[in-house]
Amino acid sequence: GCVLVVSVIEQLAQWHNSTVKAAMERLCDYIPGKYQIMGHMLCCIDREMNADVVCHSLRLCKQDPGQLLCHLYSPPKKEKHSSGLFHALAHTRSKRQIRSKSFLGFSSVCAFPLLANLCEKIKYVLRNKLPFEDFDGDKFSTFPTLRGYHWRGRDCNDKNTTVYPGRRPDNWDAKSDSNCNGIWGVDPKDGIPYEEKFCKGADSKGVVLLGDSAGAHFHIPPEWMTVTQMSAKSFFNLPMAFSDELDWPQFSEITGFLNSTIGGWTDSLYLRLRKRNRCNHRDLQNISQNGGLSGERAPYLSFSLARNQLLDNPAIVIYATIGNDVCNGERDTLAHMTTPKEMLSNVVQALRYLDSHLPNGSHVILTGLVDGRFLWDNLHDRYHPLGQLNKDVTYSQLYTFLDCLQVSPCSGWLTPNETLRNLTSERALQLSNVLKEIARSEKFANFDIFYMDFPLRQTAEEWRKMGGEPWQLIEPVDGFHPNQIAAALGTGIIWQRALHEWPQVLGKANPFNDQIEAIFKDQGGH
């Protein structure tokens, strides 16, 4: 974090030909007030020192005896290896040791008083995967972030626990909208409730995603660290992004419903189901977790899933942990990967829980793991946003830096070690085969079950046909996650697969969709 912030400040000074102090003031002008926490670094930044030297001089990182100093940039020119960094640090610390102590008390951003309250809220939603603002306790909210309606269908009455998206209508919603799909009341022409007229027998169903950071749609805006594009407008979404855990589920492949503001376009399984049957409005849940593993699914399903077996509509559940069972930042990464035996146990346990809670007629789609060799193959020699100004940081350098710090999102794939990359993909394939066998052999009372490979190869092919290149499908800042374009293209591939092979999953098209929309338009769109 320190290296990121110091790099941006030093590059701002370079780009605007200003002092470091002026660059700091410029950045603070860009950033919303309570997030201006970098001032404590000002005393320690020098345009003649690179960000690695500055941040090591602050002693923010633990260093084991004999361990090389982690660095993002090439070491200072005196020597082209880490001892050059040692030399620069020895020179720097003698001058700055006392002044840097003022920063040590704030080594966690949550220690800053203005951010402490937000951090507590975020910790709550991380623990529970539930909306922070939910007055009636039905697991749905009228507040967008902090696991609110960006993640689940928007509640239409947060004072009544029996009113929420996805339930079967109460008395055909003749008097009120019990399922929040906007369809309620009685047609004055014939006295038949609108919900009964338009949605009875329409095979309504919701969509639930059990995913990881890819499913939650993790994204750090590149304009936050690209000084040539930086302005106050670049940071307008910073508060929302933090309170959504740097995830953007409202634009995601499975549960997206808003027009994308982070590039590309929004296309999602939810939007296509809603277009197919307008009665499905708001029936979505994104129960994804950054860093989520297969072994964590069953425990947090027990308090995060909102589905009543007796009162609610069936659901399509997408089970998609596409990488974390083989991805970790450990030194001996292979030893910390999920084994096929563990995968079988973890997934079957989660499916048994779903069978006891999903309404009859539901469906589950298991998604295979990705082949992450795609990342290194397409990015390693390209420049990261931090390196574009001076052509001094490639993705290979970023991956090595994160691995050295033991915070790599995937030591097995984000590495120059081709053998390790191949072994990681081999384990991913083994785990995908476990999922495939579960779909083939396991039977459940309340849902049928299907398997599909993660459609990365098909997505890249589609993008090439549109004139794009494969690297443009990857998040530019982390160099790891599928981006907005990949998400939108992936939706079309999943949909076509379902239409041709599992039409029962999607349900039939509602012939009354046009009439529903016409009535909405007549009533002002409410």
Side-chain angles (χ1 to χ4, degrees), residues 77-133:
K77 292 180 181 179
K78 180 178 178 63
E79 299 177 62
K80 286 293 184 180
H81 48 79
S82 61
S83 61
L85 194 53
F86 277 107
H87 177 85
L89 278 174
H91 178 69
T92 303
R93 283 175 175 165
S94 63
K95 296 191 301 181
R96 302 176 183 272
Q97 195 163 4
I98 295 175
R99 289 194 291 176
S100 68
K101 288 181 180 178
S102 64
F103 189 77
L104 295 179
F106 296 99
S107 58
S108 164
V109 293
C110 291
F112 288 89
L114 289 174
L115 291 183
N117 184 44
L118 176 60
C119 282
E120 285 305 309
K121 292 181 179 179
I122 291 174
K123 287 176 184 176
Y124 171 87
V125 299
L126 286 175
R127 283 194 306 268
N128 299 285
K129 315 295 181 298
L130 291 173
F132 185 81
E133 303 283 353

Side-chain angles (χ1 to χ4, degrees), residues 322-342:
I322 66 169
N324 287 327
D325 283 284
V326 297
C327 283
N328 57 72
E330 301 291 342
R331 284 279 182 264
D332 52 344
T333 181
L334 292 170
H336 288 81
M337 294 178 184
T338 302
T339 66
K341 183 178 180 181
E342 290 168 338

Side-chain angles (χ1 to χ4, degrees), residues 171-237:
N171 195 28
W172 292 115
D173 284 356
K175 295 183 178 180
S176 63
D177 189 7
S178 67
N179 58 14
C180 301
N181 69 357
I183 302 170
W184 64 281
V186 175
D187 188 339
K189 297 176 183 177
D190 52 24
I192 300 174
Y194 287 118
E195 180 92 40
E196 181 179 5
K197 177 178 287 189
F198 296 140
C199 301
K200 184 178 182 180
D203 201 14
S204 300
K205 59 188 69 176
V207 60
V208 178
L209 173 64
L210 309 180
D212 49 22
S213 53
H217 207 28
F218 186 87
H219 166 79
I220 299 175
E223 56 269 24
W224 288 2
M225 57 188 69
T226 308
V227 298
T228 56
Q229 304 171 13
M230 194 174 291
S231 67
K233 186 180 178 181
S234 304
F235 295 94
F236 81 97
N237 52 18

Side-chain angles (χ1 to χ4, degrees), residues 2 22 32 35 98 107 144 178 194 206 216 220 226 253 255 261 269 315 320-321 342 403 434 474 512:
C2 174
Y35 296 87
I98 295 175
S107 58
S178 67
Y194 287 118
I220 299 175
T226 308
E253 180 176 12
T255 63
T261 60
L269 182 60
T321 52
E342 290 168 338
D403 192 51
V434 169
I474 307 169
F512 299 107

